[in-house]
Amino acid sequence: MPEAVEIVEVGPRDGLQNEKGVIATEDKIALIDLLSNAGFARIEAASFVSPKWVPQMADGGAVMAGITRADGVRYMALTPNMQGFERALAARVDQVAIFAAASEGFSRANINATIDESLTRFAPVMAAARDHAIPVRAYVSCVTDCPYDGPVAPGAVADVAARLLDLGAVEISLGETLGHGTAEAVDAMLTAVTKRVPANLLAGHFHDTGGVALANIDVALSHGVRIFDAAVGGLGGCPYAKGAKGNVATERVMRHLEAAGYTTGLRSEIVDQAAEMARAMRGKDSE
Ligand code: HMG
Ligand code: MG
């Protein structure tokens, strides 16, 4: 029997957060509604961060209110603090995500906190999520390289991942934020992380700046990782990681995995339509 791999669609959040102009709320809703019919179990639809930091995501509440929820799809959103969690709760998000980093430079640039401070800030979010029976995903950024601090030690990634798991996260998504980590670096990182966090609780989140994301997905597969984040049309980047290009494109990951004999449960014709819609949105933005 072919083995299943889950692709988590993060384009509406990780993709659109990085567009220079503001994408209309109705366009975001149209993209999410199309993605909702493509067979994803999870779509990261919004981000409840400070609008002063990321104005592109300020309309998260309106996006969540406007989408047509499909059966079997869980809609996720980023929540960096209690203010974000309260907004996510009001928007009836199914899963929230906290986000930490394995390097101090990125942690400060992205969420204005040291790694220790960020974990202290996440504790009440975890407690509130538990009270409301909302599962929490946790991201670790800069798992091989940091735009501020340079190469990141595998042990530092394993430490943060293990601490997030101890806090109560149900899954740790490992973010190769810059998108040019080598296969050797990803392999060393996963060797360290899987000693502390079982592979079935990990997700791979690869940006594709250097065109190495698919090779790194193969490395992660060899370590037992079976969940990958991707964005239709290769949308994305991170506003606090200059030069980081888009997430690896969902349509490429889907074809790559299926050619290797895995099933993704995705409807390729809808994924392709969504990729086209995503690229058109980006085009509109750069006009
Ligand atoms: P801060 O400035 O230290 O926080 O930012 P603050 O508490 O002093 O708040 C500043 C202002 O923002 C206040 O407003 C707050 O009310 C407001 P004022 O009093 O000045 O009018 N505020 C909020 N408003 C709405 N919702 C909120 C919220 N929080 C504060 N949740 C903070 C700290 C964490 C808030 C800020 O740094 C932040 O929002 N950072 C998020 C940056 C971000 O979204 N980055 C991209 C996502 S991470 C990513 O892309 C990586 C990932 O894809 C994995 C990978 O690829 O590596 C996940
Ligand atoms: Mg990302």
Side-chain angles (χ1 to χ4, degrees):
M1 222 177 73
E3 212 186 330
V5 171
E6 180 188 358
I7 299 181
V8 179
E9 175 57 48
V10 298
R13 191 284 301 175
D14 205 357
L16 299 183
Q17 74 178 10
N18 203 45
E19 292 304 305
K20 282 188 207 71
V22 175
I23 308 270
T25 305
E26 72 222 41
D27 289 350
K28 295 180 181 178
I29 293 169
L31 179 63
I32 296 166
D33 282 348
L34 182 55
L35 290 165
S36 290
N37 293 316
F40 295 103
R42 288 186 283 175
I43 298 173
E44 198 165 66
S47 177
F48 294 103
V49 299
S50 169
K52 293 192 171 134
W53 282 63
V54 185
Q56 295 88 334
M57 292 280 108
D59 59 351
V63 169
M64 287 303 301
I67 59 173
T68 303
R69 290 173 191 243
D71 286 344
V73 182
R74 283 178 293 158
Y75 297 90
M76 290 199 300
L78 295 194
T79 54
N81 52 18
M82 276 308 292
Q83 211 175 329
F85 181 79
E86 295 297 343
R87 291 174 63 207
L89 196 61
R92 297 191 304 111
V93 160
D94 301 306
Q95 182 168 36
V96 297
I98 54 175
F99 46 108
S103 65
E104 293 292 351
F106 189 78
S107 185
R108 271 192 295 274
N110 195 41
I111 52 173
N112 201 21
T114 64
I115 295 168
D116 282 348
E117 284 164 355
S118 75
L119 295 174
T120 305
R121 193 187 277 167
F122 296 146
V125 175
M126 299 302 303
R130 208 174 303 121
D131 288 348
H132 292 276
I134 298 178
V136 183
R137 161 182 252 223
Y139 285 98
V140 181
S141 284
C142 300
V143 296
T144 61
D145 299 273
C146 169
Y148 307 97
D149 300 351
V152 174
V157 184
D159 270 352
V160 177
R163 289 171 76 186
L164 289 165
L165 196 68
D166 285 348
L167 267 183
V170 296
E171 174 182 282
I172 310 293
S173 177
L174 299 167
E176 207 284 86
T177 316
L178 285 183
H180 46 61
T182 62
E184 292 72 26
V186 171
D187 185 49
M189 181 275 293
L190 282 168
T191 300
V193 172
T194 51
K195 288 192 177 121
R196 310 275 299 276
V197 179
N200 66 337
L201 301 185
L202 295 174
H205 177 108
F206 294 102
H207 287 256
D208 204 20
T209 319
V212 290
L214 291 181
N216 287 336
I217 284 176
D218 288 342
V219 174
L221 284 166
S222 77
H223 282 268
V225 177
R226 293 292 181 270
I227 303 171
F228 294 99
D229 301 347
V232 274
L235 280 175
C238 176
Y240 297 99
K242 215 169 190 300
K245 285 224 186 91
N247 292 88
V248 63
T250 306
E251 58 278 15
R252 291 181 64 220
V253 181
M254 173 185 72
R255 292 199 163 86
H256 183 74
L257 290 170
E258 290 185 353
Y262 295 97
T263 57
T264 63
L266 296 179
R267 295 172 61 191
S268 57
E269 67 287 1
I270 304 217
V271 171
D272 288 340
Q273 267 177 45
E276 209 170 294
M277 186 188 273
R279 281 191 291 267
M281 283 164 82
R282 167 176 275 177
K284 239 197 243 180
D285 173 48
S286 58
E287 272 165 17

